């Protein structure tokens, strides 16, 4: 393979198993004279392993604008550059999107390579059957913002995909159960492609206990997937009754409970709706 020059190649790298590097990714990394990396020290071993010899440029979240200028200068000089992040696909909950935007705006070609992405890998083995999914990535670390972000997603009929680090896994799972209710399915996909890969599904209401039963279950990197809000055969009846009850001055919780009892519409969805109606 001979790479085209000038062009920016966006190159996914393995999530853990080096065997997941594609042939094309290896060839691109071997041929490009420049490699923009999220962490040049971290990527050193990987690049050495695959025989990449290009010179390294740092392209992390704190210097993306500067890195973009450096990359564009190399492209202007007629050279090819590869962009990699620490693991997985650049620009997906990783630095790279701004750099790519700048390079495209400068009129240069951007060539994306398919490859590992934790969200897609987890989704493929999740068993969630929704035809649509929404990739959210990381949630805010502060409790209030996290809950607000979850509330905004609660009524969507899509499978929801989150990234989470081990030190926040318990509080995030607790927040998911609080906002989405105990019945929706949670899939915890941990250490994908690595030795201790675990993919566990359970109702949200049982997830915290499962995690706490063994500290090892809380270790490593996680993709969390939640089944979509259940479809209701509501036809707007639940919302109509809910609005009437709220207008009569009933508290949010009671109004949602009654509207659910009267119409059979989803209780959690009604509760979330009641909250948002109350806010507006
Ligand atoms: N751009 C990468 C991608 O899309 O695969 C993700 C980078 S993001 C900084 C890192 C997060 O991805 C982790 O906190 C975790 O949520 C997820 N992740 C990465 N590797 C993983 C793995 N082997 N197993 C499960 N989740 C992983």
């Amino acid at each position: 393979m001979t790479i085209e020059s000038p062009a920016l190649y966006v190159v996914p790298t393995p999530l853990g198993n080096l065997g997941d590097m594609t042939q094309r990714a290896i060839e691109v990394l071997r041929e490009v004279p420049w490699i923009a990396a999220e962490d040049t020290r971290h990527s050193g071993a990987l690049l050495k392993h695959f025989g990449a010899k290009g010179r390294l440029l740092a392209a992390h979240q704190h210097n993306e604008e500067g890195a973009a200028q450096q990359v564009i200068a190399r492209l202007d000089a007629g050279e090819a550059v590869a962009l990699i992040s620490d693991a997985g696909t650049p620009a997906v909950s990783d630095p790279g999107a701004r750099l790519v935007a700048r390079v495209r705006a400068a009129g240069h070609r951007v060539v994306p390579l398919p490859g590992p992405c934790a969200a897609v890998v987890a989704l493929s083995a999740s068993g969630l059957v929704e035809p649509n999914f929404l990739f959210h990535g990381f949630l805010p670390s502060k409790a209030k913002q996290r809950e607000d972000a979850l509330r905004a997603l609660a009524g969507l009929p899509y499978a929801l995909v989150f990234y989470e680090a081990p030190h926040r896994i318990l509080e995030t799972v607790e927040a998911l159960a609080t906002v989405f209710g105990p019945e929706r399915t949670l899939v915890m996909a941990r250490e994908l492609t690595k030795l201790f890969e675990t993919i566990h599904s359970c109702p949200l209401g049982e997830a915290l206990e499962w995690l706490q039963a063994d500290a090892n279950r809380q270790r490593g990197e996680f993709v969390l997937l939640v089944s979509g809000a259940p479809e209701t055969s509501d036809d707007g009846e639940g919302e109509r009754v809910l609005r009437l009850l709220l207008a009569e001055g009933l508290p949010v919780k009671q109004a949602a409970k009654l509207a659910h009892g009267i119409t059979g519409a989803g209780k959690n969805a009604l509760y979330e709706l009641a909250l948002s109606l109350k806010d507006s």
Side-chain angles (χ1 to χ4, degrees):
M1 172 186 171
T2 308
I3 51 157
E4 279 186 39
S5 299
L8 174 69
Y9 287 85
V10 183
V11 182
T13 54
L15 301 172
N17 186 328
L18 290 180
D20 293 333
M21 194 75 173
T22 68
Q23 190 60 35
R24 190 164 162 230
I26 295 170
E27 288 171 8
V28 167
L29 289 183
R30 281 189 184 149
E31 287 187 32
V32 287
W34 293 93
I35 298 170
E38 180 182 4
D39 179 339
T40 49
R41 269 204 348 218
H42 171 97
S43 294
L46 177 100
L47 294 170
K48 194 165 168 219
H49 178 84
F50 288 112
K53 301 207 173 55
R55 291 170 64 188
L56 292 176
L57 294 169
H60 46 79
Q61 61 171 340
H62 304 296
N63 81 338
E64 261 197 271
E65 293 295 335
Q69 295 319 314
Q70 281 186 289
V71 168
I72 289 167
R74 302 307 355 135
L75 297 169
D76 285 344
E79 295 177 298
V81 182
L83 171 67
I84 60 172
S85 59
D86 288 355
T89 301
V92 177
S93 294
D94 257 345
R98 283 195 195 90
L99 191 152
V100 164
R102 292 277 176 273
V103 167
R104 289 170 60 84
H108 285 292
R109 186 159 175 228
V110 176
V111 183
L113 269 61
C117 174
V120 176
V121 173
L123 195 64
S124 72
S126 68
L128 294 179
V129 296
E130 287 82 344
N132 309 100
F133 74 91
L134 185 147
F135 172 69
H136 188 284
F138 290 103
L139 284 158
S141 54
K142 296 210 171 88
K144 168 83 173 78
Q145 279 99 315
R146 182 169 51 218
E147 227 171 280
D148 288 347
L150 291 176
R151 283 231 166 84
L153 303 171
L156 299 175
Y158 312 136
L160 304 172
V161 186
F162 303 96
Y163 281 166
E164 196 47 281
H167 63 279
R168 273 205 284 268
I169 189 67
L170 292 179
E171 54 188 280
T172 296
V173 165
E174 198 172 1
L176 290 172
T178 304
V179 177
F180 296 156
E183 280 152 33
R184 286 167 68 172
T185 300
L186 173 68
V187 182
M188 294 174 270
R190 166 183 164 257
E191 294 290 88
L192 292 164
T193 78
K194 301 185 193 178
L195 187 60
F196 296 108
E197 178 178 275
T198 315
I199 301 170
H200 180 76
S201 318
C202 62
L204 262 170
E206 293 170 17
L208 199 59
E209 198 181 332
W210 184 83
L211 282 169
Q212 284 170 331
D214 180 351
N216 286 324
R217 294 176 180 169
Q218 301 159 32
R219 297 220 167 99
E221 313 216 58
F222 285 83
V223 181
L224 300 172
L225 308 98
V226 182
S227 60
E231 297 283 347
T232 58
S233 54
D234 184 11
D235 295 335
E237 190 59 7
E239 179 170 345
R240 196 182 67 79
V241 172
L242 183 71
R243 282 179 184 273
L244 281 172
L245 295 170
L246 288 172
E248 287 300 313
L250 260 72
V252 163
K253 206 167 166 184
Q254 204 181 346
K257 197 173 162 192
L258 276 173
H260 165 67
I262 295 165
T263 67
K267 194 159 43 173
N268 292 324
L270 283 170
Y271 179 67
E272 295 307 327
L273 180 63
L275 284 174
S276 60
L277 289 171
K278 200 90 185 165
D279 281 349
S280 55

